[in-house]
Amino acid sequence: MRQQLLARIHNRSAVVAVIGLGYVGLPLAVAFAEKGFAVVGIDVDAVKVAALERGESYVQDIPAARLRGVLPRLAATTDYSALERCDAAIICVPTPLNKTRDPDVRYVIAAGESVARYLHPGMLVVLESTTYPGTTEELLLPMLTARSTLERLQVDSFEVGKDFFLAFSPERIDPGNKQWTVENTPKVVGGITLACREVAAALYGTIIERIVPVSSTQAAEMVKLLENTFRAVNIALVNEVAIMCDKLGLDVWEVIEAAATKPYGFMKFTPGPGVGGHCIPLDPHYLSWKLKTLNYNARFIQLAGEINTEMPRWWVDKVVDALNEAGKPVKGSRVLVLGVAYKKDVDDVRESPALDIIELLRQKGAEVRYHDPYVPAIRHNAFALVSETDLGAALDAADCVVVVTDHSWYDWPAIRVRAKAIVDTRHVTCTNRINS
Ligand code: SAJ
């Protein structure tokens, strides 16, 4: 089986399925199709599938022209039975947190169940979704080797590493990043067996310059969690340094810029309004949850989460101070939030701290408006707002402006001049101190 699959990979006759056509799956599917593979893109969202079939892309990193360049070699469908003719299935579905901030692996389970229905001898299955160490071996593998699979295939045994192959390879897609792409970002791969790792590495090696093999699927799952926990903890550290500098009467931005001149042993992170996005606020909780099941409390992750989620409140206090300076109570004051996306130059508001800042200001009775060139409307808990259309008028009407997302689109010097008062969480209006 292994030799046959390797041969089909090497001569590009293997049919590759990508399950989940979002910001991770679609670029991966396009990359395989551009290398000459027949690719089946599977997604439960018929709207996405229809758009792709029309040659319309909904992922900013895949322009429509690039998508059209691989049609019809890339075929999109909602029908999992297409897996019957696929040699590999790569699962790229979301792994969010549920209401109690615990891992929600329902999409991985649903994809695993669908793959199990069509799994056949000689097939490779890879999980890319960020998840806790052990998911591939403890959750996915049993689904694929369940009795129902053996009965359907009418076999007595269906052995991983021999009859089919299973690996984990974390996604490292950074939306909007022009420098690091699917093709040139090193890819970590861990297999349930060495043969599993070999075939997964061979497949990815056809589109990615550097493959980084590790000893197990658990190691590969842990690599990704270390990458994103590293960021969450360092962002929290620099946020706490910002609070410390504020109490010391120091300019944290000056301190960071000077520290960043150290040519070794330092990595620059910047304070902000909090941490948004679908990776950094969530991924570390997959790790701390797993360690809790082993009676260990991952304190850095806990503390980083506390500090990062506390930042919106800390910044709202700065708005209160700024209005106070102007002799205005928060209640009834007009506050304009500039930028609600979770980071600059993207349109994604998932977990954005801007939503918390707006909610906290509204709870204090402020009249909050926002402007964001990428985000026409937002809805969060008890409020729904649309972006101001006339930025100048919105600036003139505001008693205080809060810079939350430092989109390149803005003319910051002009904003600084026009605003009556500014609280700048991103230090882009060149205000010397973090709280002015
Ligand atoms: N943030 C700060 N200070 C910083 C860096 C980030 O406050 O110094 C905030 C951002 O404003 C944002 C949040 O943290 O709200 C997350 O920012 P991010 O730069 O980590 O961006 P993400 O969420 O898009 O993270 C993705 C991740 N990519 C993958 O998971 C494949 C992450 O691993 C990447 O390192 C990151 O992009 C990146 O470097 O751009």
Side-chain angles (χ1 to χ4, degrees), residues 77-115:
T77 178
T78 57
D79 181 0
Y80 267 95
S81 68
L83 288 175
E84 283 167 345
R85 57 188 172 86
C86 292
D87 299 285
I90 303 176
I91 302 172
C92 305
V93 296
T95 44
L97 297 179
N98 62 25
K99 290 260 181 293
T100 54
R101 307 288 288 169
D102 290 325
D104 178 353
V105 288
R106 77 180 73 176
Y107 302 112
V108 172
I109 292 169
E113 283 167 350
S114 300
V115 169

Side-chain angles (χ1 to χ4, degrees), residues 117-181:
R117 273 200 297 279
Y118 301 101
L119 186 63
H120 50 76
M123 194 169 170
L124 165 65
V125 180
V126 185
L127 177 61
E128 288 214 354
S129 309
T130 305
T131 185
Y132 59 83
T135 303
T136 305
E137 184 147 14
E138 298 160 15
L139 184 68
L140 200 48
L141 179 58
M143 296 168 79
L144 302 179
T145 54
R147 169 143 302 285
S148 50
T149 303
L150 276 66
E151 284 164 2
R152 173 173 58 81
L153 294 173
Q154 294 173 342
V155 294
D156 297 335
S157 82
F158 193 59
E159 197 183 330
V160 66
K162 180 170 166 288
D163 301 310
F164 76 102
F165 308 95
L166 178 59
F168 182 85
S169 179
E171 60 92 359
R172 281 181 166 175
I173 302 282
D174 182 28
N177 195 323
K178 299 284 181 267
Q179 183 190 0
W180 297 107
T181 63

